Amino acid sequence: MPSPRHNGDGLRRELIELTFTVQDIANTRFAISPLWEVVASVRVIKEPAGVNRPWAEQVRGRLEGVDWRLLSDLVPMPTISLVCFIAPPPTTSLPDLELELSGMLSRAADVRAELDAWGGARTPGLRALYDDPSAGLERLAAQIRAYWAVAIEPYWPRIRTLMEGDLLYRARMLAEGGVHRMLADLDANVSWQGERLRLAHRFCDGVRPLDGRGLLLVPSVFAWPRIFSITVPPFQPTLRYPPRGIATLWERERKDPPEALAAVLGATRARLLAELDQPASTKDLALRAGLSEPGANQHLTALRKAGLCSAHRTGRYVLYARTAIAESLLNPT
């Protein structure tokens, strides 16, 4: 049996067909994976393109002081496949990064077999990981935490909001038309034929029975424009796909805050929250809002204490980002 891998599809050259039973339909579920977003985003940093280019252009310079060499070694370009231990499928629907890192650290026994099956040249970092998997995974976890703090965490409320919106849409489609309708417009590379879900794939083909384990569906901003799948035990079969609305994720649009929110927070603080559609420094926000830097800092400190924004140090300066609570206040449903 081959070592399990994350396999990415692309051009329509091959097809993987997943066969469903009644038990598989019952066990199909959704999850969001912060750790997978870290891994998938490395590809975007290495080759910025398409809808995620604005994000990459913002964070590449900030990563200059971060050691993420081992993480980079494990995400080669072109990305034909990825070892599974770097981002095992989440076991819960909404895990945080630390919970997923715990799962990664528990897979030290799999490292050598997966690296052997993966093949390719071994960098010094990969050789050290192979020689001492436990210590190597600890180094990898530390690099992922540092990368996350600079490249993903300031943007996470916005990313998570988009992915949760996709999950709500899928849940509605499931309620209205069952699994077939829920998956019908998942991605251009995914289609139904009879009782089989077909995944267009660049390198692999064949029929994969789900064997009662169901399908785990994970929306992924940084997977765009591809889908990634895991279809080999011991993991639950997993499909990672770009969520709906990703084309507008990084567009910056001036948006007036709700009048009710301005009445509670004050016009200035509500305006600052509205300007935080993307993480920004005190200086940037002061210029946008027509404030002095000390004045903007005073308002941002109050918003941070109220749990409406968070501060993330990136080298010489601090970036502010909206929290999930602030997102819901600015975008009430």
Side-chain angles (χ1 to χ4, degrees):
M1 180 179 295
S3 174
R5 302 180 184 183
H6 296 284
N7 292 315
D9 79 335
L11 300 177
R12 289 180 176 271
R13 296 176 183 170
E14 308 288 349
L15 282 174
I16 291 178
E17 296 185 312
L18 305 180
T19 61
F20 283 74
T21 65
V22 173
Q23 189 65 31
D24 291 313
I25 292 175
N27 287 331
T28 292
R29 65 186 182 92
F30 290 92
I32 289 173
S33 175
L35 179 55
W36 169 254
E37 290 306 296
V38 169
V39 173
S41 73
V42 171
R43 297 171 49 255
V44 182
I45 291 293
K46 289 184 173 182
E47 292 186 2
V51 299
N52 287 316
R53 181 189 290 272
W55 168 84
E57 291 175 346
Q58 288 185 40
V59 304
R60 288 182 82 176
R62 299 171 192 159
L63 284 168
E64 290 178 358
V66 176
D67 180 8
W68 54 290
R69 289 173 292 179
L70 180 55
L71 174 61
S72 177
D73 291 344
L74 288 164
V75 187
M77 300 298 289
T79 311
I80 297 174
S81 66
L82 297 169
V83 289
C84 259
F85 65 75
I86 192 175
T91 56
T92 63
S93 296
L94 298 172
D96 59 22
L97 181 66
E98 286 303 318
L99 179 61
E100 291 202 276
L101 286 177
S102 296
M104 183 190 77
L105 292 169
S106 73
R107 307 205 66 84
D110 302 323
V111 168
R112 288 176 177 167
E114 290 194 25
L115 287 176
D116 285 340
W118 198 41
R122 296 273 173 90
T123 65
L126 290 177
R127 289 197 297 270
L129 174 62
Y130 189 91
D131 291 340
D132 189 343
S134 294
L137 288 182
E138 289 286 356
R139 287 193 298 274
L140 178 60
Q143 290 187 15
I144 288 173
R145 291 186 185 100
Y147 181 101
W148 166 269
V150 171
I152 306 294
E153 188 176 16
Y155 303 86
W156 185 242
R158 169 179 268 209
I159 292 171
R160 177 166 168 163
T161 296
L162 181 71
M163 293 192 292
E164 288 181 340
D166 184 87
L167 298 189
L168 289 173
Y169 171 81
R170 301 292 162 198
R172 187 167 65 251
M173 292 299 99
L174 180 65
E176 292 178 358
V179 171
H180 280 69
R181 182 170 182 186
M182 182 265 289
L183 296 175
D185 66 344
L186 196 71
D187 188 85
N189 292 308
V190 180
S191 62
W192 277 105
Q193 186 175 61
E195 298 304 315
R196 294 180 177 181
L197 187 68
R198 310 177 82 195
L199 312 179
H201 206 287
R202 187 181 301 176
F203 305 104
C204 299
D205 63 0
V207 178
R208 308 283 199 275
L210 298 182
D211 293 329
R213 294 170 294 163
L215 184 63
L216 173 61
L217 295 158
V218 182
S220 172
V221 164
F222 295 110
W224 185 94
R226 296 169 58 173
I227 59 172
F228 287 79
S229 61
I230 304 172
T231 58
V232 182
F235 302 104
Q236 181 178 13
T238 301
L239 177 60
R240 287 154 168 155
Y241 64 93
R244 288 166 52 86
I246 190 173
T248 62
L249 178 61
W250 307 117
E251 290 181 358
R252 190 171 189 285
E253 178 182 359
R254 183 178 178 88
K255 183 177 180 180
D256 293 327
E259 292 183 5
L261 183 62
V264 174
L265 296 180
T268 299
R269 291 176 183 175
R271 166 56 57 196
L272 287 172
L273 278 186
E275 292 290 343
L276 283 174
D277 56 344
Q278 293 185 25
S281 67
T282 303
K283 182 177 181 179
D284 289 339
L285 291 166
L287 288 172
R288 292 184 208 167
L291 301 169
S292 65
E293 284 191 48
N297 186 65
Q298 183 179 9
H299 288 298
L300 290 166
T301 299
L303 291 171
R304 182 170 56 82
K305 289 181 177 179
L308 297 177
C309 73
S310 54
H312 309 267
R313 178 164 293 280
T314 60
R316 300 185 304 274
Y317 50 92
V318 174
L319 289 179
Y320 289 89
R322 290 199 297 246
T323 63
I325 296 173
E327 292 284 354
S328 64
L329 291 174
L330 283 164
N331 300 285
T333 56

